[in-house]
Amino acid sequence: VVTGALWLVADQFKESDSGEVWQAIAANALMLHGTTAMLALVLLGALIPLHVQRSWRAGKNRFTGSIMAGSNAVLVATACGLYYAGSDALRTFVADVHIAVGLALPALVVTHVVMGRRAKARAGRERSRPVEMPGALRPVTFSEDPGSR
């Protein structure tokens, strides 16, 4: 996200008086963005069996998890579109979607983590409550008569 935001800023200043410097910054930021995207794909690949499948089966945080999965899928698809898009109109649309979802990603991650932790804390409180079983533990009294035992 940081590298994409850096590229976005540098790209806006390419037409300024110091445009040559910003052009170099934009090019380097884009290369770094592509490299970090490859690392993010490896991380996403690891998250699927270790986190996503297990949490989905357990019914945990499915709503924001689906949003996270969908957002990452959109980022991957639009990244491919940016690389391979043939028409300028399509490329502009794909770039806008990629930028919007990319800039929203930190807020989505924070929301997913916070909602997951809240659900976990709520589940922990529910498990730690004593179970009330009316009449299960009644005091028993014995009479003094030894024959009544």
Side-chain angles (χ1 to χ4, degrees):
V1 174
V2 173
T3 56
L6 176 61
W7 172 83
L8 194 58
V9 170
D11 190 58
Q12 297 300 312
F13 287 111
K14 285 192 306 191
E15 303 300 322
S16 67
D17 292 337
S18 55
E20 195 171 304
V21 172
W22 287 108
Q23 176 65 38
I25 292 171
N28 289 326
L30 202 52
M31 286 187 286
L32 186 59
H33 189 65
T35 302
T36 56
M38 295 302 158
L39 295 172
L41 285 172
V42 171
L43 179 63
L44 282 172
L47 279 174
I48 290 170
L50 299 175
H51 176 72
V52 176
Q53 287 179 343
R54 190 181 65 195
S55 296
W56 188 265
R57 286 183 188 136
K60 295 179 182 177
N61 216 2
R62 284 185 173 180
F63 180 72
T64 58
S66 297
I67 292 171
M68 289 299 303
S71 299
N72 281 292
V74 167
L75 287 172
V76 170
T78 55
C80 290
L82 285 168
Y83 197 74
Y84 294 110
S87 75
D88 287 339
L90 179 60
R91 184 168 168 67
T92 301
F93 172 75
V94 169
D96 290 345
V97 171
H98 190 81
I99 290 166
V101 174
L103 290 174
L105 193 63
L108 296 173
V109 170
V110 168
T111 302
H112 180 64
V113 170
V114 167
M115 299 274 294
R117 288 185 178 168
R118 282 184 184 165
K120 187 175 184 179
R122 208 171 26 251
R125 284 192 303 272
E126 289 172 5
R127 276 194 304 260
S128 64
R129 286 187 196 152
V131 177
E132 292 186 28
M133 299 176 69
L137 299 174
R138 287 181 275 174
V140 178
T141 55
F142 295 100
S143 69
E144 294 298 317
D145 181 12
S148 66
R149 288 190 199 174

